[in-house]
Amino acid sequence: MDRGASPSHALARRVVLLAVTAGFLATEPVRAYRFWSRNQFDLVASGAAMRWNDDSLPIRFRSLANERFPDILTEVLWLEGIRSGFTAWEEVPTSAIRLRLEGESQSADGWPDRNGVNAIGFAENQDRPFTGAFATLVIQEGRIVECDITVSPQSWNALPEDIDEDALRARVRRLILHEVGHCLGLGHSAANPMWRVWQEAPSEWSRNGDPPQDVRTFFPNPKMAYASSYGYPGLHPDDIAGISLLYPAAGFLENTGTVRGRVVFTDGSPASFVAVSSVESEDAANPFGAHTFTDAHGQFVLEALRPGRTMLWIHPYLVPAGKAFSTADVATPDMNHTMIWPVVAAGRTLDLGEIVVIRDEGGAP
Amino acid sequence: MGFTGLYFIPGQPLVLAEGQSVFVDINWVGGDSFPQDAIPYRIVSDAPADELSATPSTVEVGPRVSNAGAVLVRAIADDRADEAPATYTLEVQPEGPLAEGWAHDLARAKMEVTVVEAEPTPPDEQSQAYSCPETRIQPLAEGGPRDGGDWMRSVHGDDLADYLTSTVTLQTAHPRTALSLVGPYRRPFAHREMEGESPLYRPYPFGFLFDLALRETGGGFEQVMTFAWFDDVRLRLETPGCDALEAICEDGACRVR
């Protein structure tokens, strides 16, 4: 519904979405799950997700030049990090997404605008203070037409002066991977229902301490999850599934399957906003595949699954708390983890009907 | 204003097999400003009542309301054997007046639903074709305590300095078998509480899995996983038509009951 016969009519058709980094969205996770929709309160399957038109590819970005640029960064490092993040998305073999960083920088204050240029830059705003970074999307007629990535210089200016170039470049890359994912149409996804346990993890992880003895499995989180595996260099299968659903390469949709169902408690009430994660054991080092969430009715549609038997791990939604993964009271019901093993068929949708889970009566500690 | 949510894809009919049902949302789309609290909308359909239903027939929709206008769309089970799929239309029609200066934009007011024949139940889901003893769960405790690592100690203190492991093997031929982790799986953030931090966050899990291995076994499958645990762990295996099995590990040993 739009306001008719009003000068604001055209503007009302433009919806601006803000996609922020983890710190801002701990209390209202129903916004921005998995894909963007015209209404941020809704979960949608990929067919109704907002994306760029195919004729918009490659999506072109410009770097902003202004006085907010952190002293610790050089322009060369900044641009290398951006290009590295772009390359990671472009190298997904099952996706047709293409990105370009134009050589020309643009002088601007960095605060998101609607000027038809996709920009990446640093900004501060005393009226709207923020930390981290966020992506601002402009939507017209259900399609993404512009995206600006705005980065606070605050944490960059607090970095030690002796930080090495590789670490800085990797830091830019991580930021770009996540925020560009938002620009392409990906909301936040689920974290794995596990501790981040590993032995082969990148060295950067070691700052958090040694892993449990004899644990050989590395469970990275998706780049688009609230609880990102910051030190993990690659995209997670869930990120790959998401971008491939939005911009599929030839054959991708035909060669993957979909499972849908409704998660309920034993009393029939819906298990709303819980995570449904696929586990594909063929890759023992990284078994988690695509994730999704249930909607307010407990319904879910999990797409981009590899054909064959798959474990679905249904679990409370996770948000980061300090150094651990935790559940937030506002985000997800108290429920016990449940696993089921459906058989996925390529190019088809399997309806699992109702899946009954057990409410956790343990209460808060 | 119109259909939204998981099961609405503009321009693409929702396919329901007879007997299937889904919730479809009807909602305000885009923008925050709105001149009034809620407006009633009627859901009308050209489908015969014995083919497709949408309930309730009237919903109220307003701004900033999540899933306010959900309707349950159900394909009636009437044995469509050999009948061609039939496509029907659901339409949202406003019943109430809008504030002056506003107009309905019902760009998503129509939704198509195609009703198809239900697929036959696979033989192994039929109770008469399934033998309950074919479902087994075997937890086997392994070795002694292992070092939980620096990271775990930094989060949980000395309580979780060591952990135990069990290899859990699940075998079943029933596709609807479900395994739940029951019992406590959370540990308090003792140091957070002492520091007076917000109780909003509950740490979990208290245990974790690794070395997952899934394989087909000819008509069924076998899932093997190594479960790391601290005080105890209880897993509940449920298969339709069969008694539930519980795998319990405590005091360094595991059992099934």
Side-chain angles (χ1 to χ4, degrees):
Chain A
M1 209 178 309
D2 291 333
R3 188 166 190 171
S6 160
S8 63
H9 182 84
L11 275 181
R13 301 192 71 83
R14 298 161 67 98
V15 180
V16 177
L17 300 174
L18 294 180
V20 298
T21 47
F24 289 156
L25 278 179
T27 57
E28 200 172 16
V30 67
R31 283 179 181 261
Y33 270 173
R34 196 72 175 95
F35 298 116
W36 300 119
S37 63
R38 283 201 62 187
N39 183 344
Q40 287 189 73
F41 293 108
D42 290 324
L43 280 162
V44 294
S46 63
M50 287 189 294
R51 58 190 292 280
W52 296 77
N53 274 328
D54 289 340
D55 60 11
S56 301
L57 306 184
I59 302 166
R60 299 173 188 280
F61 286 83
R62 287 185 194 171
S63 171
L64 293 180
N66 61 29
E67 70 276 11
R68 309 294 186 196
F69 198 80
D71 291 338
I72 200 159
L73 273 175
T74 64
E75 186 175 3
V76 170
L77 272 177
W78 172 245
L79 297 180
E80 284 178 355
I82 292 174
R83 289 196 182 93
S84 176
F86 281 9
T87 300
W89 286 113
E90 287 190 308
E91 287 183 343
V92 172
T94 49
S95 170
I97 193 66
R98 291 294 176 266
L99 301 162
R100 293 289 180 275
L101 179 62
E102 296 186 331
E104 177 187 356
S105 290
Q106 182 163 330
S107 180
D109 65 2
W111 200 247
D113 51 29
R114 299 180 182 183
N115 61 354
V117 175
N118 308 308
I120 306 173
F122 290 88
E124 290 177 300
N125 188 320
Q126 292 184 344
D127 297 329
R128 299 171 63 184
F130 74 104
T131 58
F134 61 89
T136 307
L137 290 81
V138 178
I139 309 299
Q140 279 183 320
E141 305 298 335
R143 294 292 185 181
I144 304 171
V145 296
E146 183 180 338
C147 185
D148 292 338
I149 295 173
T150 308
V151 186
S152 166
Q154 184 177 319
S155 63
W156 297 80
N157 288 331
L159 291 173
E161 289 184 1
D162 60 350
I163 187 170
D164 65 50
E165 289 191 354
D166 286 344
L168 281 171
R169 196 178 292 110
R171 190 180 169 97
V172 176
R173 184 178 187 273
R174 291 197 299 270
L175 181 151
I176 293 301
L177 276 173
H178 186 92
E179 300 303 337
V180 166
H182 286 323
C183 284
L184 299 181
L186 297 173
H188 286 119
S189 59
N192 293 324
M194 301 290 297
W195 269 341
R196 45 193 182 191
V197 292
W198 62 89
Q199 274 197 330
E200 302 84 2
S203 58
E204 194 168 337
W205 277 104
S206 62
R207 66 185 180 196
N208 290 327
D210 296 330
Q213 178 188 352
D214 297 330
V215 172
R216 294 172 293 278
T217 305
F218 178 33
F219 293 136
N221 283 312
K223 282 287 180 286
M224 299 312 298
Y226 288 103
S228 176
S229 291
Y230 297 106
Y232 181 61
L235 290 173
H236 182 279
D238 181 65
D239 303 312
I240 293 170
I243 202 67
S244 302
L245 285 165
L246 290 176
Y247 309 95
F252 174 74
L253 298 178
E254 294 80 359
N255 292 319
T256 56
T258 298
V259 169
R260 75 186 190 195
R262 183 167 183 251
V263 184
V264 298
F265 292 110
T266 50
D267 63 2
S269 61
S272 308
F273 313 125
V274 303
V276 181
S277 301
S278 65
V279 185
E280 299 171 338
S281 298
E282 287 185 14
D283 182 358
N286 188 6
F288 285 94
H291 305 315
T292 191
F293 301 92
T294 60
D295 66 8
H297 315 291
Q299 300 177 137
F300 70 92
V301 176
L302 181 54
E303 306 170 276
L305 297 175
R306 189 164 52 192
R309 196 177 303 274
T310 297
M311 178 201 286
L312 296 188
W313 187 329
I314 304 167
H315 56 91
Y317 165 80
L318 303 178
V319 293
K323 293 180 180 179
F325 293 169
S326 306
T327 57
D329 288 320
V330 294
T332 191
D334 291 333
M335 62 164 287
N336 291 323
H337 294 220
T338 296
M339 302 164 188
I340 58 175
W341 287 264
V343 179
V344 176
R348 301 189 62 184
T349 297
L350 173 66
D351 192 332
L352 296 173
E354 287 194 348
I355 301 164
V356 180
V357 297
I358 305 169
R359 199 181 294 276
D360 176 15
E361 305 291 355
Chain B
M1 167 56 222
F3 291 108
T4 63
L6 271 181
Y7 288 114
F8 176 68
I9 298 176
Q12 186 172 320
L14 166 67
V15 178
L16 287 181
E18 52 181 354
Q20 287 182 333
S21 59
V22 298
F23 287 95
V24 177
D25 298 326
I26 299 165
N27 219 335
W28 160 262
V29 177
D32 287 332
S33 63
F34 192 74
Q36 56 207 84
D37 289 337
I39 296 173
Y41 288 87
R42 191 157 53 99
I43 314 303
V44 297
S45 172
D46 59 1
D50 60 353
E51 280 277 292
L52 187 72
S53 68
T55 52
S57 58
T58 303
V59 296
E60 286 202 333
V61 182
R64 303 188 185 195
V65 181
S66 179
N67 299 304
V71 294
L72 181 65
V73 180
R74 181 188 303 276
I76 311 297
D78 68 345
D79 191 11
R80 299 184 56 85
D82 301 326
E83 288 183 45
T87 298
Y88 305 107
T89 301
L90 299 179
E91 189 171 354
V92 179
Q93 296 181 349
E95 287 210 312
L98 280 173
E100 187 178 349
W102 287 70
H104 290 285
D105 177 359
L106 297 173
R108 294 171 163 233
K110 289 188 178 180
M111 171 179 182
E112 290 191 330
V113 182
T114 300
V115 180
V116 300
E117 181 183 352
E119 292 189 6
T121 306
D124 57 1
E125 271 197 62
Q126 297 171 4
S127 57
Q128 64 269 26
Y130 181 74
S131 170
C132 289
E134 291 179 36
T135 292
R136 289 186 287 271
I137 185 166
Q138 294 176 299
L140 180 64
E142 298 174 330
R146 303 187 194 193
D147 184 0
D150 293 345
W151 178 80
M152 195 151 55
R153 273 191 292 274
S154 73
V155 174
H156 295 285
D158 291 337
D159 281 355
L160 302 187
D162 301 317
Y163 72 98
L164 299 164
T165 60
S166 305
T167 298
V168 176
T169 303
L170 183 159
Q171 295 169 312
T172 183
H174 199 293
R176 302 285 298 186
T177 291
L179 182 68
S180 296
L181 170 60
V182 296
Y185 60 87
R186 301 173 304 191
R187 298 285 301 196
F189 268 127
H191 70 287
R192 288 176 66 92
E193 289 187 354
M194 284 188 293
E195 293 165 7
E197 293 190 38
S198 167
L200 176 66
Y201 296 107
R202 302 185 303 274
Y204 101 101
F206 84 116
F208 53 90
L209 287 172
F210 55 102
D211 289 356
L212 303 165
L214 174 65
R215 70 179 183 94
E216 297 293 324
T217 57
F221 68 94
E222 179 184 83
Q223 175 76 63
V224 180
M225 44 199 164
T226 301
F227 208 107
W229 49 285
F230 296 91
D231 299 329
D232 61 354
V233 62
R234 191 154 61 97
L235 303 169
R236 182 177 176 87
L237 186 66
E238 293 186 280
T239 302
C242 304
D243 292 335
L245 299 173
E246 283 198 350
I248 300 168
C249 296
E250 58 188 357
D251 300 327
C254 299
R255 68 183 192 280
V256 177
R257 73 176 184 192

